[in-house]
């Protein structure tokens, strides 16, 4: 399609060529857009795939079967009819339902992942990095990949589950917490049979950025194999690597290999609290040990290596009240670290807007009156917290919503909001009993604030006598 030998053609960073007069047509879309849908992919443990990590549904082929990286490489999926359908929804000014997390953030004044990555792509690759026009294989190149090798992890964080943490599995089984397991015939990490590995050279051809998630990457042997393969094939030098870690593991030799071979490296260290609150939220990590590793990451961040480190703070109903304490601690001890407030939308029972109105009002006042470095980001969290968990019938399936009047939909929403608060209470108590921890001692201020709607001791006695409550996957995840 493109004559790359024509000297009058311009070329973007990915090798796509065009005439100067085609610039506006190709690179200035007159419709909403998301750079990730045109050039990126995100997988789950087990190899299933979503357009990005916060998309609310998986990608499926024409038969309705989940795509899997073991049988279809990520470039093939990006160029699939399903992804083309999503891109065409944007071209038609529609808002795909699976992108709802971004629409909610944007409605609350928080810069969404879609908006962030549109800006990032221009910064990283230039304003001509993505042709937004009609579908063609030469337009759709896998530039960015968010990659999870599996759920192998050494922690079982309160905001996580057995889908993403192997450490969670035993507790989930005993507490009757459902989780998903892949039924793929081929393991994504089967180096001899999985297309992820056998077609490595094909789908890594245009890669410029890799984001490695977990599980815990430093705890997964396949991640080290993958890094060695990129280095040995001379690909690492062209790739910016972003890696999320829980901060419990810091292999200095392997860290040195990474920062010495990749074009750029950024680490996101997941820290959801400090001291005993950290240990509660990220069981069984120990704060003192992680703090030592933070010192090492801080040294790397301030070194001459092309390295940046940020703190990823997952904000939930459990810790939103303690945002001032958290931000003040890092401002004092690690002032050069940027903090990304990762607002948890799922599971809904632990989201900030699951809290009772009284608690929201008190927390709103406290956050509004505190001096944060990035106050607009906190304002967007406040806005989200004060947006009802469900409204306008959003707790009812789309296929059923038109069958009920407004009053009935409002009733369903209120009932489901109450249900999520019930799940919050019983999941907190259930976790405390299993792990021999105590919410009301670790979060005394929050406990006092919600005690009139959360009788901790009574629920603890009930669960101790009757056993852990059982909830469906939908109730716990959605």
């Amino acid at each position: 399609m493109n004559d790359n030998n024509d000297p009058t053609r311009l070329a973007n960073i990915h090798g796509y060529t065009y005439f100067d007069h085609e610039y506006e047509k190709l690179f200035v879309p007159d419709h909403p857009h998301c750079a990730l849908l045109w050039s990126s992919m995100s997988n789950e443990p087990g190899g299933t795939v979503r357009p990005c990590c916060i998309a609310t549904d998986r990608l499926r082929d024409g038969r309705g079967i989940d795509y899997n990286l073991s049988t279809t490489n990520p470039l093939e999926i990006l160029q699939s009819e399903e992804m083309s359908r999503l891109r065409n929804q944007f071209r038609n000014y529609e808002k795909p339902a699976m992108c709802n997390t971004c629409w909610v953030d944007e409605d609350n004044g928080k810069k969404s992942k879609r908006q962030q990555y549109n800006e990032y792509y221009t910064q990283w690759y230039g304003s001509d990095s993505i042709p937004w026009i009609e579908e063609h294989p030469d337009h759709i190149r896998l530039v960015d990949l968010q990659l999870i090798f599996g759920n192998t992890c050494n922690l079982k964080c309160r905001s996580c589950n057995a889908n993403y943490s192997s450490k969670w599995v035993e507790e989930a089984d005993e507490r009757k917490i459902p989780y998903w397991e892949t039924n793929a015939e081929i393991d994504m990490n089967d180096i001899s049979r999985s297309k992820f590995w056998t077609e490595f050279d094909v789908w890594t051809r245009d890669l410029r950025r890799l984001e490695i998630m977990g599980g815990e990457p430093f705890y997964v042997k396949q991640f080290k194999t993958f890094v060695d393969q990129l280095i040995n094939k001379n690909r690492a030098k062209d790739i910016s690597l972003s890696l999320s870690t829980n901060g419990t593991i810091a292999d200095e030799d392997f860290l040195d290999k990474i920062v010495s071979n990749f074009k750029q490296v950024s680490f996101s260290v997941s820290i959801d609290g400090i001291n005993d609150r950290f240990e509660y939220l990220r069981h069984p990590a120990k704060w003192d040990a992680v703090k030592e590793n933070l010192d090492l990451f801080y040294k790397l961040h301030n070194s001459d290596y092309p390295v940046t480190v940020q703190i990823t703070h997952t904000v939930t109903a459990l810790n939103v009240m303690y945002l001032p304490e958290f931000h003040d601690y890092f401002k004092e001890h690690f002032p050069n670290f940027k903090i990304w407030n990762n607002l948890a939308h799922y599971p809904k029972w632990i989201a900030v807007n699951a809290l009772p109105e009284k608690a929201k009002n008190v927390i709103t006042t406290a956050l509004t009156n505190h001096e944060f470095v990035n106050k607009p980001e906190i304002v967007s969290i406040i806005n989200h917290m004060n947006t009802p968990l469900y409204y306008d019938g959003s707790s009812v399936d789309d296929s059923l919503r038109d069958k009920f009047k407004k009053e009935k939909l409002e009733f369903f929403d209120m009932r489901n909001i109450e249900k999520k608060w019930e799940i919050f209470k019983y999941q907190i108590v259930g976790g405390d009993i299993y792990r021999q921890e105590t919410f009301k001692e670790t979060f005394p201020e929050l406990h006092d604030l919600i005690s009139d709607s959360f009788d901790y001791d009574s629920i603890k006695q009930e669960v101790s006598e009757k056993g852990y409550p059982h909830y469906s996957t939908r109730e716990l995840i959605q």
Side-chain angles (χ1 to χ4, degrees):
M1 181 178 178
N2 292 327
D3 183 3
N4 292 314
N5 295 318
D6 187 335
T8 64
R9 296 183 74 90
L10 304 174
N12 71 3
I13 193 172
H14 310 307
Y16 178 84
T17 66
Y18 61 96
F19 288 112
D20 182 62
H21 66 80
E22 296 177 304
Y23 176 85
E24 187 166 346
K25 172 188 175 184
L26 294 171
F27 306 112
V28 184
D30 60 357
H31 54 75
H33 56 285
C34 175
L36 294 170
L37 289 182
W38 268 256
S39 59
S40 182
M41 191 60 53
S42 178
N43 78 296
E44 301 172 303
T48 49
V49 177
R50 296 175 188 257
C52 79
C53 65
I54 59 174
T56 59
D57 202 2
R58 298 189 183 102
L59 292 170
R60 298 176 177 87
D61 63 20
R63 301 166 296 168
I65 298 173
D66 289 344
Y67 277 114
N68 196 290
L69 294 186
S70 63
T71 52
T72 313
N73 78 54
L75 178 59
E76 287 181 290
I77 299 172
L78 186 65
Q79 295 176 342
S80 69
E81 289 186 9
E82 173 65 3
M83 285 299 296
S84 177
R85 183 187 67 80
L86 280 171
R87 290 189 286 268
N88 281 328
Q89 283 187 275
F90 273 80
R91 293 185 178 111
N92 293 327
Y93 295 87
E94 299 172 17
K95 290 185 174 182
M98 71 165 61
C99 302
N100 188 56
T101 301
C102 279
W103 310 137
V104 170
D105 279 345
E106 291 172 24
D107 287 344
N108 285 302
K110 178 177 171 62
K111 186 175 289 186
S112 68
K113 184 168 185 175
R114 178 185 79 89
Q115 292 170 323
Q116 288 177 328
Y117 274 77
N118 285 341
E119 291 180 4
Y120 291 162
Y121 267 51
T122 299
Q123 295 169 14
W124 295 339
Y125 311 125
S127 59
D128 64 349
S129 62
I130 298 178
W132 307 101
I133 56 173
E134 74 278 357
E135 302 295 292
H136 186 279
D138 197 42
H139 302 160
I140 309 301
R141 302 184 179 196
L142 186 69
V143 174
D144 188 305
L145 180 65
Q146 186 181 77
L147 184 58
I148 298 175
F149 288 93
N151 73 337
T152 303
C153 191
N154 59 333
L155 301 186
K156 46 180 179 179
C157 304
R158 288 277 179 154
S159 58
C160 195
N161 55 61
N163 295 335
Y164 289 87
S165 170
S166 55
K167 190 78 171 179
W168 249 107
V169 171
E170 182 179 347
E171 179 175 347
D173 288 338
E174 293 193 29
R175 289 179 52 199
K176 305 174 186 177
I177 299 175
Y179 55 92
W180 176 83
E181 294 180 278
T182 180
N183 57 2
E185 295 181 5
I186 300 174
D187 190 322
M188 170 188 155
N189 286 309
D190 185 333
I191 294 179
S192 64
R193 297 196 299 158
S194 169
K195 280 194 173 185
F196 175 82
W197 293 96
T198 61
E199 299 181 4
F200 181 90
D201 291 342
V202 174
W203 65 263
T204 60
R205 181 184 59 221
D206 296 308
L207 274 183
R208 292 293 183 271
R209 183 177 177 274
L210 272 168
E211 184 175 0
I212 308 298
M213 309 289 284
E216 170 51 45
F218 288 132
Y219 206 62
V220 180
K221 64 180 180 180
Q222 289 88 352
F223 171 54
K224 293 186 177 182
T225 301
F226 186 75
V227 166
D228 287 340
Q229 196 154 320
L230 286 173
I231 293 172
N232 294 337
K233 290 179 177 290
N234 204 31
R235 292 289 298 114
K237 64 179 178 57
D238 298 319
I239 294 173
S240 295
L241 179 69
S242 175
L243 188 146
S244 292
T245 175
N246 60 34
T248 61
I249 302 170
D251 181 335
E252 292 194 50
D253 291 337
F254 186 53
L255 284 172
D256 184 67
K257 176 188 285 190
I258 290 174
V259 300
S260 300
N261 283 281
F262 284 84
K263 180 179 180 180
Q264 293 177 318
V265 180
S266 60
F267 296 100
S268 292
V269 187
S270 299
I271 309 287
D272 295 345
I274 61 174
N275 298 313
D276 58 341
R277 282 190 266 278
F278 168 83
E279 294 180 359
Y280 182 98
L281 293 166
R282 291 191 164 264
H283 182 99
K286 299 302 178 186
W287 173 249
D288 287 343
V290 169
K291 186 180 177 304
E292 286 186 15
N293 291 337
L294 284 176
D295 291 333
L296 174 61
F297 279 112
Y298 199 64
K299 182 178 178 181
L300 268 177
H301 179 77
N302 295 317
S303 70
D304 293 330
Y305 282 118
V307 173
T308 58
V309 181
Q310 75 170 14
I311 302 300
T312 297
H313 184 54
T314 299
V315 183
T316 67
L318 282 166
N319 63 6
V320 64
M321 184 177 189
Y322 300 91
L323 279 170
E325 171 189 83
F326 186 85
H327 280 254
D328 287 351
Y329 176 88
F330 278 89
K331 183 178 180 180
E332 177 181 354
H333 296 279
F334 301 100
N336 293 343
F337 279 160
K338 178 184 176 182
I339 296 175
W340 176 46
N341 297 293
N342 178 30
L343 189 58
H345 292 267
Y346 299 96
K348 280 188 173 290
W349 63 264
I350 204 172
V352 294
N353 50 346
L355 288 164
E357 290 302 314
K358 173 187 171 183
K360 292 179 183 179
N361 292 336
V362 172
I363 296 170
T364 294
T365 299
L367 299 187
T368 301
N369 292 336
H370 191 77
E371 291 299 323
F372 291 94
V373 172
N374 188 0
K375 194 60 177 277
E377 180 81 4
I378 303 301
V379 170
S380 68
I381 293 174
I382 293 171
N383 291 340
H384 181 71
M385 181 173 63
N386 288 291
T387 301
L389 197 62
Y390 297 110
Y391 57 95
D392 294 337
S394 61
S395 66
V396 179
D397 287 342
D398 292 343
S399 60
L400 300 174
R401 201 170 297 158
D402 292 338
K403 297 182 179 181
F404 300 103
K405 294 182 178 179
K406 179 181 178 181
E407 294 77 12
K408 193 68 172 178
L409 290 173
E410 290 175 349
F411 168 77
F412 287 143
D413 285 345
M414 185 57 64
R415 188 179 67 178
N416 283 304
I417 288 171
E418 292 170 353
K419 184 69 172 178
K420 292 303 180 186
W421 182 238
E422 177 192 80
I423 293 174
F424 173 91
K425 293 184 287 187
Y426 279 86
Q427 289 303 302
I428 295 304
V429 171
D432 282 3
I433 292 173
Y434 190 90
R435 303 177 183 199
Q436 298 183 353
E437 297 174 336
T438 308
F439 159 73
K440 69 176 188 177
E441 293 180 2
T442 310
F443 302 87
E445 300 85 0
L446 179 58
H447 170 261
D448 290 346
L449 188 56
I450 61 178
S451 59
D452 57 350
S453 60
F454 184 4
D455 189 339
Y456 180 89
D457 293 327
S458 176
I459 294 176
K460 185 174 183 180
Q461 182 177 348
E462 178 188 341
V463 174
S464 298
E465 293 175 353
K466 297 181 179 180
Y468 299 109
H470 176 73
Y471 296 104
S472 69
T473 301
R474 178 182 175 84
E475 287 174 318
L476 285 176
I477 296 177
Q478 296 184 353

